[in-house]
Structures are given as C-alpha cells and as structure tokens.
Amino acid sequence: MSIQRTFSIIKPDATRRNLTGAINSKIESSGLRIIAQKRIQMSNTQASEFYKVHAERPFYNDLVSFMTSGPVVVQVLEGENAISAYREVMGATNPSMAAEGTIRKEFAENIEANSVHGSDSDENAAIEIAHFFNKDEIVG
Ligand code: CMP
C-alpha cells in the first residue's frame, strides 16, 4: 500500500447536469482527498493532446469535440493506491458494464459521455497532472 496521486476529470456531460458535487461526494466518501481542483474550458489543442494515445481510434474526433463541448473540472486526488482506488470508484468505461454504486453506473450517459476520467498508471498520472496543474496549485 502506498499514498499515490491520480488525475481526474469531471467531464462535460456531468458539469452540464450539475453533478460536480454529487461526484465529489462519491470521491470523498471513498477516502480519496481532492488536493487540487479547477473548472476550465478545454481548448481543442488541449483535448487533442490529452487524448493523443487514442488518435488512431475511430472515436477520437468525437471524443475531442465532446471534451470541448462544455466546462470540465480537473482534479488531483490523493490517497492509498489512488490510481486503482479511483478506477474502482469510477466503474467500467462503458456504463452498461459498470458495477452498482460506481460513478459511471449512477451518472454516465454512454461510453463516450461517461462523466469522469481517471489515470490508468502512475506514470500517466504524473504526465496528466503536469498537463493541467502547476506545483503551487496542489496543496495536499
Ligand atoms: P477516458 O477514461 O476519458 O479515456 C478515453 C475515453 O474515450 C473514455 O474515457 C471514453 O470517454 C472514450 N471512449 C472509450 N471507448 C470508446 C468508444 N468505443 N466509443 C466512444 N468513446 C469511447
């Protein structure tokens, strides 16, 4: 067990439906701490860069337009094994496969508009956090 940090995005489908607080409540009640948070409008360049690992996938262009379709809330979460802990709280990418009680089961609209993103590894967490936050914005 170790204390880790992970990167989270509350996506446009969730901010549009005023679900930031409900999602934060699920995050906090799982024991994870929100140690940095800001609401931003992602630019096309930011979203394209953020999701560039999916550039060859058929859903890439739609995903970039969706992520720039409204405000998002970017966050740094900290806690015991934060990366896998947050993936558990989020549930499966496809909400129809997500377990009861997870954010995606409760709130996601579909596989694209799936309410939240969380890093999939320690290495990606560090890259994703650095993409959106300066060190002095993270006050654990
Ligand atoms: P996320 O965890 O942000 O990482 C990549 C995103 O691509 C994923 O959540 C979904 O929003 C989206 N995605 C993954 N698979 C598909 C798919 N088959 N069709 C549309 N969007 C997808």
Side-chain angles (χ1 to χ4, degrees):
M1 301 278 265
S2 67
I3 298 293
Q4 287 181 325
R5 289 179 175 181
T6 191
F7 177 70
S8 160
I9 306 177
I10 300 179
K11 296 186 181 185
D13 66 287
T15 60
R16 184 172 22 86
R17 288 175 291 147
N18 218 16
L19 291 170
T20 301
I23 290 173
N24 280 348
S25 170
K26 282 204 175 281
I27 291 170
E28 293 188 331
S29 57
S30 79
L32 289 164
R33 302 181 71 81
I34 301 165
I35 60 167
Q37 171 169 266
K38 58 190 172 189
R39 183 172 166 108
I40 60 165
Q41 171 67 51
M42 262 198 214
S43 66
N44 201 279
T45 309
Q46 267 176 320
S48 307
E49 172 67 20
F50 184 77
Y51 280 121
K52 70 178 181 208
V53 295
H54 298 302
E56 302 306 318
R57 308 285 281 274
F59 57 81
Y60 177 69
N61 288 338
D62 278 353
L63 178 60
V64 170
S65 348
F66 165 63
M67 291 301 289
T68 55
S69 68
V72 298
V73 177
V74 290
Q75 305 175 307
V76 182
L77 310 182
E78 187 176 80
E80 282 289 342
N81 298 316
I83 291 156
S84 61
Y86 188 43
R87 292 180 76 78
E88 241 176 71
V89 175
M90 288 192 299
T93 305
N94 186 342
S96 68
M97 311 285 283
E100 286 301 325
T102 60
I103 293 171
R104 285 168 171 161
K105 178 72 178 182
E106 213 157 300
F107 303 123
E109 294 182 316
N110 54 56
I111 194 168
E112 178 182 82
N114 64 355
S115 300
V116 280
H117 164 84
S119 309
D120 62 5
S121 67
D122 214 7
E123 190 192 353
N124 283 339
I127 294 168
E128 291 174 0
I129 289 168
H131 210 94
F132 290 97
F133 290 96
N134 296 318
K135 282 209 166 69
D136 62 6
E137 292 177 304
I138 304 171
V139 285

